[in-house]
């Protein structure tokens, strides 16, 4: 193995990533070195590189640069530390990037993704926009069976995040109406598929012609153009009652203002998107209709294993619309910034 690898590095917030040669790390103890064969490009990486999650300054979160972004990772085991059990060189794996320190309250209750001192791959430590990535512990690997690394790579976020939102938070029941806002994107196309597996009637909403085609390809029961009377259309589909669940993968002022109004009584609104919108809604409306509004970040290790098994069984599949070279990472981020892509892009070193 060579001593150095190529990596697209964030060296200054708000500036393009830089292609650099950096040392290839050597695994020790429970660590595993993974050769990256697919790195999904999540919209949250755009916010991270730009230095802001809405009004939240990334530097206020204690995140330091330079760092290699990229938290959606799949590939093959290149080397293992002496303490690794159950994995060997050549195994094809996907990586759970949401790692905690193992000692805080949230880690102790099994919710590492909310750790007070997180070790998030691609933010706190180097991620998958590189030829190799060092994983702190083999417990965060899932051995792939039927999926190849390119199609598997988006699952640790684009699959995990809507899985958590629909299964754990919204607790979707068969025959319920589920509206997915931003359904033509990476999270949205996965949310449509997961909701369908749960037996829901799925209404996908987006605002671009190409995105509306992706919603149809993902298998939604209804496709709604968000540019034209979306609330009226959703109410018509739901026979005037409204939706039981709305999953908002955008989180803008416009979506938050609009789609809470399509909820039925006892409806659940789950916010996934980090666009930076503000919630302004009349409290008595929420109370009298017993509406629940909640956020959902990513998912815990159990959620990760569950969504990986779901995909490995063929019940859901990430829609990869563009495969690009590692050196094209900035172009991939711009594609997201300027709404030039649907579903998921994947970088291949």
């Amino acid at each position: 193995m060579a001593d150095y690898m190529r990596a697209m590095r964030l060296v200054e917030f708000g500036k393009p990533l830089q292609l650099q040669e950096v040392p290839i790390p050597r695994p020790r103890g429970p660590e595993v070195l993974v050769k990256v064969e697919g790195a999904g490009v999540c919209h949250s990486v755009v916010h991270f590189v730009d230095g802001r999650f809405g009004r939240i300054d990334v530097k206020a979160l204690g995140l330091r640069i330079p760092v290699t972004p990229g938290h959606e990772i799949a590939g093959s085991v290149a080397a293992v530390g002496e303490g690794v059990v159950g994995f060997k060189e050549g195994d094809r794996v996907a990586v759970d990037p949401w790692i905690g320190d193992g000692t805080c309250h949230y880690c102790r209750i099994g919710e590492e993704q909310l750790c007070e001192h997180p070790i998030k791959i691609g933010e706190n430590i180097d991620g998958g926009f590189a030829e190799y990535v060092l994983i702190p512990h083999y417990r965060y690997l899932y051995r792939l069976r039927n999926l190849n690394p390119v199609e598997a790579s988006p699952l640790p976020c684009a699959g995990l995040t809507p899985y958590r939102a629909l299964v754990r938070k919204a607790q979707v029941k068969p025959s319920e109406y589920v509206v997915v806002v931003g359904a033509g994107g990476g999270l949205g196309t996965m949310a449509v598929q997961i909701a369908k597996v749960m037996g829901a009637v799925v209404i996908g909403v987006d605002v671009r012609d190409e995105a509306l085609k992706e919603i149809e390809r993902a298998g939604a029961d209804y496709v709604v153009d968000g540019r034209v009377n979306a609330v009226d259309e959703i109410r018509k589909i739901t026979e005037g009652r409204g939706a039981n669940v709305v999953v908002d993968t955008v989180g803008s002022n416009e979506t938050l203002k609009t789609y809470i109004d399509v909820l039925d009584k006892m409806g659940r609104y789950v916010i996934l998107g980090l666009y930076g919108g503000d919630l302004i809604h009349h409290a008595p409306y929420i109370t009298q209709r017993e509406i629940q509004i909640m956020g959902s970040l990513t998912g815990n290790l159990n959620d990760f294993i569950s969504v990986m098994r779901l995909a490995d069984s063929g019940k859901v599949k990430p829609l990869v619309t563009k495969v690009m070279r590692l050196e094209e990472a900035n172009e991939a981020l711009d594609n997201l910034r300027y709404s030039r892509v649907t579903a998921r892009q994947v970088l291949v070193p």
Side-chain angles (χ1 to χ4, degrees), residues 119-146:
I119 312 169
K120 296 179 181 178
I121 295 174
E123 291 185 10
N124 303 88
I125 62 174
D126 287 333
F129 289 6
E131 293 181 277
Y132 295 89
V133 61
L134 185 67
I135 311 306
H137 200 288
Y138 62 89
R139 73 192 295 260
Y140 300 99
L141 300 181
Y142 176 90
R143 186 181 291 102
L144 299 174
R145 293 170 176 81
N146 301 312

Side-chain angles (χ1 to χ4, degrees), residues 168-186:
R168 308 287 185 207
K169 293 299 187 77
Q171 298 182 15
V172 172
K173 302 174 186 64
S175 80
E176 286 193 315
Y177 286 104
V178 173
V179 172
V180 180
V181 180

Side-chain angles (χ1 to χ4, degrees), residues 300-318:
N300 59 31
L301 189 55
N302 181 55
D303 298 328
F304 168 71
I305 293 170
S306 297
V307 78
M308 292 307 305
R309 287 175 177 168
L310 194 65
D312 232 346
S313 70
K315 293 180 180 177
V316 300
K317 182 178 180 179

Side-chain angles (χ1 to χ4, degrees), residues 76 82 104 143 145 152 161 248 323:
S76 58
E82 63 276 11
C104 80
R143 186 181 291 102
R145 293 170 176 81
T161 303
D248 186 348
V323 178

Side-chain angles (χ1 to χ4, degrees), residues 25 37 50 59 83 87 94 107 114 134 149 189 210 214 219 243 260 295:
E37 297 175 8
D50 290 346
K59 287 173 281 191
F87 290 92
C107 288
L114 299 174
L134 185 67
T189 50
E210 59 271 29
E214 291 297 340
I260 288 177

Side-chain angles (χ1 to χ4, degrees), residues 196-211:
K196 286 295 296 178
V197 169
M198 298 175 74
V201 179
V202 182
I203 304 167
V205 183
D206 219 306
V207 294
R208 292 179 293 147
D209 292 339
E210 59 271 29

Side-chain angles (χ1 to χ4, degrees), residues 32 41 79 83 89 95 110 134 166 186 238 248 253 276 278 309 330 348:
V32 177
V41 185
E89 290 184 28
V95 178
L134 185 67
L166 290 159
T238 59
D248 186 348
N253 283 333
D278 292 306
R309 287 175 177 168
N330 288 313
V348 176

